[in-house]
Amino acid sequence: QVQLVESGGGLVQAGGSLRLSCAASGRTFSSYGMGWFRQAPGKEREFVAAFSSSGITTYYVDSVKGRFTIARDNAKNTVYLLMNSLKPEDTAVYYCATEDTPGHYDYWSQGTQVTVSS
C-alpha cells in the first residue's frame, strides 16, 4: 500500500516562502515520477511541478517557473516543493502524487493548505 504524507503548508505573506514535503512509503520511490498539484477554491486541480521517473527532468507550470523548485531525496523517499516569492494567487490546497505511467498519477497525498495573504 502506497502512502504519501504531506506537510509544510501554512499562512504566509506575499513575497514569502514555504517548503512542502511529501514522504512516500510502499513503493520504490526512485523508480517513479512524482508531481505536485494544487486546487484553489472554485477551480479545477492544476499541475504545478513534477519529476520524471528518471529523476533528472523537471517540469513546471508557467505561472511558477522561476519561483518554485521541485526537489527529491531518494534516501528519504521524500519529494519537496520549495516555493519562493509567493503570490496570493498561489493560495490553494497542494497535493503530491506518484506517477505510475507517463502523465498518469495513481496515489495522492491528503493535501495541505497554502494561504498567501496580500
Side-chain angles (χ1 to χ4, degrees), residues 7-68:
S7 60
L11 173 65
V12 64
Q13 288 188 332
S17 300
L18 281 175
R19 186 183 79 165
L20 304 183
S21 301
C22 175
S25 61
R27 175 172 280 176
T28 305
F29 181 77
S30 58
S31 300
Y32 290 84
M34 294 289 294
W36 287 96
F37 295 77
R38 65 187 179 186
Q39 187 166 20
K43 295 186 177 181
E44 293 187 354
R45 185 172 60 198
E46 69 166 346
F47 167 82
V48 176
F51 261 113
S52 65
S53 58
S54 69
I56 296 173
T57 306
T58 56
Y59 308 91
Y60 297 93
V61 67
D62 285 347
S63 60
V64 308
K65 284 180 180 177
R67 301 188 298 120
F68 290 13

Side-chain angles (χ1 to χ4, degrees), residues 13 16 48 62 66 78 83 99 109:
Q13 288 188 332
V48 176
D62 285 347
T78 300
M83 304 184 293
E99 184 185 39
S109 66

